[in-house]
Structure formats: C-alpha cells, structure tokens
Amino acid sequence: MTVDVAAWILIALVAGLLIVHRNLVRALWFRTEDPRPVALFRIATGALVLAWLVDLAPLYDYLFTPQGLVDGPEAHRRWGRMGPVSPLYVRDDSAFVHAYLGALGISAAALMVGFCTPVSAWLTWGLFVGLLGRNGVFTGGEQIFTCFLFYLSLSRCGHAFSVDAWLHRRRGGQPRTIPAWPRNLMLLQMLGVLCANGFAKYGRSWQQGDTLHFVLNHPHFRAFEAYGISALLGTTALRWMTWITHAFEILFFLVLVGVVVKLVRSHPVEPPRGRARWLGRALGVAIGMDIVVLANLRLTDSARASMSWSFAIALGVVIALGPVVLRVARRLPPVVLRWALGRRVWVSLWLLFTAQLVFVLRIGWFTALTMCAAVLMFEGEELARALARIGIPFGSTPTEVPRPPRPWRRRFIGALCAFHVVAAVALCLPAERPVSPWRKDLERPLRRWIRQTNYAQVWRMFAPSGSIRVLDFEAVMRDDSGQVLPLGAGIVAPEHLASRWGLDKREKIRRRLGSPKIGPNYWPAHARWVCRQFGARVDGPSVVELYRTLTPIPTPRALQTLGVEQAVAQAEASRERILVFSETCSPN
C-alpha cells in the first residue's frame, strides 16, 4: 500500500505544480505551430502501417479467421470485455478479414498521402485497434502505432505535404499553422517510451552490462549470428554499449527539459509571485522527496546498486533542490547547457539507439516508427533551415493562423489531455503486488480508457532484465509408424520458414505459445490448426505433439574461455525439451 500511496501522491503533487504555473502551461499548450514536422511524421506513420500489414500477411488466416487460433465468439469471450470493440468478433470469415485488412491498407495509404486526412487518420486508428482487439497473441510494440495514430488523429497533420494542403492552395488558401497540443502529447509520450523503459531496467544483466550480448545472440531477435562478436567484445565494448544505452534512456528527459526551456523563452509569461511562488517551490521539494521515497520502496536491496536506482535518487535530489540547481545552472557556460539540454546530442543518440533496433535486431516495425518520431523534436523553421543548407526545399512557411479555440473547447481539450496523461502516468508508475483495492477502484476508469483505445503502457522492453535463455516452441506430427514430421512452430509451412515476411511476429507467437502462463490457453486450438493445415502430409492417423524448449545463451565469459563452438555446444547440450500437449488428429 505504501508504494501505491507514494505513486498517487506524486501525481497529485505534479498536478498541483502545474496549477500553480497554469499561465505558462496555458501559453505552451494552446500555442500554434508550423505543421511540417507533424506532417512528415504522418507520412512515415502511414508508410510503416503499410509495411506492418505486408509483414503480417502470411499470418492473416492463422490469427483472424475461425480456422485459425481462435474464432470470433471465443475472441470476444477472452478479450471483448478487456479491450477495444472489434468488428471481427461478429464476422471473421476469410473474405471479410481480407476485406477488412484491405480497408486498413487503403486508409493507411490515404493517411500517408494526406487525402481526407481527418477521416483517414481516425479510420486507420480505428481499424488498427479493432484488428489488435481480435487477437493480440502476436503483438509486441504495436502500442507505439496505436499511441501515435491516436495523436495524429487529434492533430491537423494534413495541413502540409498532403493532397488536402494542395487542394487548399488550389482554392486560394495560404499555408496554415496548427494547434501545438497534439505534438506536445507526442513529446510527452516519448518519456513513456524511453524514460519509463529505462527506469524499469534494474536487473542483473543490466548491472553487469551483458544485456546487449544476450539480445544480439537471442535467435528470436538477432538478424545475424553474433557469437564471434561477443567472444571478442562481450566483456569490453558490448558492456559499455549496454551501459550507455541504459543511461541514454534514463536521461532522455533532459532533451525535453531543453525543449521546454526554449519554448518558455519564446513565450514569456509572468512567473508566480508571493505565496504562489513559495507554494511552487514547496511542491518541487515534495516531488523530489516523493521520487526518492518511491525509488527506495519499489526496488529490492540487490536492485539498489543499479543505474536506475542511482539516477532516480539523483533526479529526486535535483528536483528537491530546484532553486539552487537553477542558480548553479545560470552560472554555467552557455555551451555546457547547449550540450547537456540540446537536441544535437540527444537526437543523435536517439537515432543511433533506434537505428540499431531497426537494422541489427528483428523486433518489429515499431522501432522504425520510434526512430521517425525524432522529427517531432524540431520546429518547422529549424528543419527548413537545416535542409536549405544542403539544397533541399521544405515547403512554405505557414502564414494563416487559425482562430483561437473558444473557452468551452479549450476546457474540453484541457480536460481530455489531463485525463489521458494521468491515465498513462498512473499505469506507468510502480504499484504494490498485489495492487491495493483503493488503487484498483481509483484507476478503473483510467484503465478502461487505456483498454478501449488500446493505449497499453507496456514499455518495459528487456526489463527488469534481458532474457538469458531462449524460450521456444515446437510442433511435430507423428504417424502410426513413428515417422516424425517437424513443423517448426506449426504456424506456417516449413518451406515458408525462410521467408523474411512476418518473422518477428512468428517469433513473438512462438514465445507466447511456449510460455507456461499464456501457452495452455492456446495449445488445443493450435494443435487443431496443425492437424487441419498439415494432416495431409502424413499417411493415416496422426498425432500432434507440442513441445516447450529452454536453451541457455552462452555468457560472454564462456565464449571467451571455451571458444564459440564448445560454448554453443555446451548450451545446446543443456537444452530442456518438454512435451506440453498432444492431440490425435480426427479424420477429415
């Protein structure tokens, strides 16, 4: 209960601080801005949704039709009350599913080119969420798509680089500015994607610096075998890269501090005076102390030596000493602040960090979307100046300013944003195990909002520690004579296993089918799928056998001392293979 109390006290204190500085918050939240950065991100998002659909194509029937893993009524029973409404609960025959996916592809293409953007954006988001609601066994990172599609639907992202903008100019209109608050939400979202993820990583492999080694050599994630690299650099360069990556995620909030400082200078507002000023300082001290308390309550004694704990304590102390820190910061050379809070360092690290996820690992298209989100860190004029230096035009500077929102509309936007941010933050903050009943009751409407929008705040990738063993899943068919037909996971035909399409989705499904907690819910349906799809390959009666396997990944030290071949052979020799389910295929 203590952790739950500290978490909600932190939310209340931050809300109080924002109320004290409400004039500044209002000026920053309801300003207008250049639409070009958001428009570029819209183009990237639409293109990546199309790539995601193509990647998923081999699994359409397996995931979304009655002949696959679950039918519509079963999907509704399992997820209908917990997630978003899906049209595929009502009808899910193969023709309708493919038509549904085709509609999603058309709406994503329309979003990409900016045709009827408000409609195509909401349609893409709604169809995407409905598809995930039908069956989420393959998901992992898709919340990045649903989050940013939701924000793009709220924004006026079609006011630049779009068919809509071209038609507007044909009718004699001028380039228009757009409300800035949707991009503000996108920037805050990056705190959840990176900072919350970073602070959740306090396990042994992060402390020792071996996480990157285990990730690079995990067969479900790697794009190539990296045992030789680990044998050479596993205890040196790879460890430093692990620690630098972890530190980057934790400290990413500094770049947003820099963005806020820049906006405050360009939108000067009179600061609070008198009692309000002292109340703001007191709230800052209380927020810092609460962060320190929360960090000590949540983590175990062994985790208190981690980078996450150290940075959390340091962050709490810095916030508590806010006025002193500001005085010291003002005396530092400007170049120090430009590098500490500037975007050239942090965005460069962002691109390097996400590029390795896109090109080195095989974990999904959401990593490319995260990389593209870097464009949101810049104003349109900044991008235009940067591209002009290399001779690339970047459209026209907007001159037409929309009417300011009416008071009722401003209040509605403010309430919607506040509710959404509180819901996201509440579900990211630490909780007791089990969660206190009062916190469950308090967060029930927040969780319902998160579920219905499929805005799941599951950002803890490789946290608190990376996988040191490979959890896998195998399916085989056995006939009366004992002949065995290996089928991989039995999700697609063996001859298609080498196909690059849907690889990361297949591996995610394999991990979930192999999980002792999740797998049993799917084993009977998966066995029936295998019987239907591959039964004709075996003469006579056949039996489907499903196995869960656990294989350790050799440590960097083992690769160095034993050599790659012997270390890998030793790991394979200690592999565990357990029969978890079997079923006799009924004759057709």
Side-chain angles (χ1 to χ4, degrees):
M1 182 174 178
T2 311
V3 175
D4 294 333
V5 171
W8 267 94
I9 286 177
L10 182 60
I11 293 175
L13 291 172
V14 173
L17 186 63
L18 294 177
I19 292 172
V20 170
H21 293 277
R22 58 188 175 276
N23 292 333
L24 177 60
V25 172
R26 188 182 300 115
L28 298 183
W29 205 257
F30 293 105
R31 74 188 195 281
T32 59
E33 65 177 5
D34 193 313
R36 288 175 288 183
V38 176
L40 282 180
F41 187 62
R42 182 206 77 233
I43 295 170
T45 303
L48 290 172
V49 170
L50 290 173
W52 181 87
L53 278 173
V54 172
D55 208 33
L56 195 64
L59 305 175
Y60 287 169
D61 290 335
Y62 175 78
L63 291 172
F64 306 120
T65 66
Q67 292 74 34
L69 202 55
V70 291
D71 59 16
E74 176 67 13
H76 183 265
R77 185 184 68 81
R78 292 191 182 190
W79 304 299
R81 296 180 181 179
M82 300 176 58
V85 176
S86 174
L88 298 178
Y89 292 153
V90 180
R91 182 176 176 183
D92 58 355
D93 57 90
S94 183
F96 183 80
V97 168
H98 284 79
Y100 184 99
L101 291 161
L104 176 55
I106 292 171
S107 65
L111 175 65
M112 181 178 65
V113 301
F115 178 69
C116 294
T117 312
V119 175
S120 62
W122 282 112
L123 190 60
T124 302
W125 173 79
L127 291 172
F128 196 99
V129 168
L131 190 67
L132 298 183
R134 172 58 171 78
N135 190 349
V137 72
F138 67 96
T139 58
E142 271 66 27
Q143 72 270 23
I144 299 289
F145 281 100
T146 54
C147 289
F148 284 114
L149 282 170
F150 181 71
Y151 296 139
L152 286 173
S153 301
L154 294 173
S155 72
R156 299 179 186 177
C157 57
H159 279 21
F161 307 135
S162 66
V163 174
D164 292 344
W166 177 77
L167 292 173
H168 177 73
R169 291 194 301 271
R170 284 287 300 269
R171 292 191 292 264
Q174 299 296 318
R176 296 165 288 180
T177 61
I178 62 173
W181 61 268
R183 187 168 75 98
N184 292 344
L185 286 174
M186 296 183 201
L187 293 176
L188 287 177
Q189 181 60 58
M190 298 314 300
L191 287 175
V193 174
L194 294 175
C195 295
N197 192 4
F199 279 108
K201 294 173 177 175
Y202 53 83
R204 184 178 180 85
S205 66
W206 287 102
Q207 295 180 40
Q208 295 180 341
D210 291 336
T211 301
L212 188 55
H213 155 78
F214 287 117
V215 171
L216 284 175
N217 291 289
H218 196 297
H220 293 179
F221 304 136
R222 68 189 182 198
F224 54 88
E225 187 175 296
Y227 285 127
I229 297 174
S230 292
L232 184 64
L233 304 174
T235 58
T236 52
L238 290 184
R239 283 185 175 172
W240 280 104
M241 290 171 66
T242 299
W243 292 326
I244 291 171
T245 299
H246 192 192
F248 159 74
E249 290 184 316
I250 293 174
L251 294 175
F252 179 77
F253 71 92
L254 290 176
V255 69
L256 295 185
V257 172
V259 170
V260 171
V261 170
K262 184 176 181 295
L263 291 174
V264 169
R265 289 176 178 174
S266 60
H267 297 78
V269 175
E270 184 178 354
R273 302 285 183 181
R275 293 180 179 177
R277 181 182 181 184
W278 285 103
L279 177 59
R281 290 181 175 178
L283 287 170
V285 172
I287 289 171
M289 294 176 63
D290 193 86
I291 290 174
V292 172
V293 170
L294 196 58
N296 280 284
L297 287 174
R298 183 65 183 92
L299 299 182
T300 61
D301 291 337
S302 61
R304 290 197 175 108
S306 68
M307 189 184 298
S308 298
W309 180 84
S310 302
F311 277 108
I313 298 298
L315 176 63
V317 171
V318 167
I319 293 175
L321 300 176
V324 177
V325 173
L326 289 176
R327 289 179 184 177
V328 173
R330 290 192 184 103
R331 296 181 180 180
L332 293 173
V335 66
V336 175
L337 292 178
R338 280 201 301 271
W339 281 92
L341 304 179
R343 288 164 294 175
R344 68 180 67 184
V345 173
W346 294 103
V347 172
S348 298
L349 288 173
W350 183 345
L351 294 175
L352 288 173
F353 168 69
T354 52
Q356 69 175 345
L357 298 179
V358 174
F359 300 110
V360 178
L361 300 180
R362 193 180 59 203
I363 55 179
W365 285 107
F366 73 91
T367 56
L369 186 62
T370 307
M371 182 170 66
C372 293
V375 73
L376 299 170
M377 300 299 301
F378 300 96
E379 303 291 334
E381 279 300 311
E382 294 173 325
L383 293 173
R385 287 195 300 269
L387 293 174
R389 294 172 186 169
I390 55 177
I392 300 177
F394 194 59
S396 303
T397 301
T399 56
E400 183 180 328
V401 180
R403 293 179 181 179
R406 294 179 179 180
W408 69 267
R409 183 178 176 84
R410 181 176 292 187
R411 285 192 290 269
F412 175 77
I413 291 172
L416 174 65
C417 293
F419 182 80
H420 181 74
V421 171
V422 169
V425 171
L427 271 64
C428 277
L429 288 177
E432 292 281 351
R433 293 291 183 269
V435 180
S436 303
W438 66 265
R439 182 168 180 175
K440 284 185 178 179
D441 295 337
L442 185 62
E443 294 181 359
R444 186 169 288 113
L446 306 179
R447 293 180 181 275
R448 187 178 297 115
W449 168 261
I450 294 298
R451 288 196 300 267
Q452 293 302 322
T453 57
N454 204 52
Y455 195 87
Q457 299 297 306
V458 186
W459 309 118
R460 297 171 177 83
M461 182 182 293
F462 309 127
S465 204
S467 298
I468 62 174
R469 295 191 299 176
V470 180
L471 174 63
D472 211 340
F473 180 81
E474 297 177 5
V476 300
M477 295 195 76
R478 192 184 303 274
D479 62 15
D480 284 345
S481 64
Q483 182 179 358
V484 174
L485 175 66
L487 300 171
I491 300 168
V492 294
E495 57 265 26
H496 297 312
L497 289 177
S499 170
R500 65 182 299 270
W501 304 114
L503 276 176
D504 69 290
K505 303 296 184 295
R506 277 181 261 165
E507 304 304 349
K508 288 169 184 173
I509 295 171
R510 289 177 77 147
R511 289 195 296 276
R512 284 169 173 79
L513 290 177
S515 168
K517 293 182 179 179
I518 302 175
N521 296 321
Y522 297 100
W523 291 338
H526 183 73
R528 291 192 293 271
W529 159 268
V530 172
C531 286
R532 289 192 299 268
Q533 294 298 311
F534 309 107
R537 301 188 180 200
V538 178
D539 296 330
S542 59
V543 175
V544 173
E545 296 178 348
L546 306 180
Y547 293 88
R548 180 174 67 245
T549 64
L550 282 172
T551 309
I553 301 173
T555 65
R557 186 64 64 186
L559 292 171
Q560 290 178 348
T561 56
L562 301 177
V564 172
E565 291 185 4
Q566 186 175 349
V568 172
Q570 190 178 79
E572 288 291 334
S574 58
R575 179 188 185 203
E576 299 179 27
R577 189 168 184 260
I578 305 167
L579 176 66
V580 294
F581 188 82
S582 65
E583 181 167 304
T584 301
C585 295
S586 58
N588 294 330

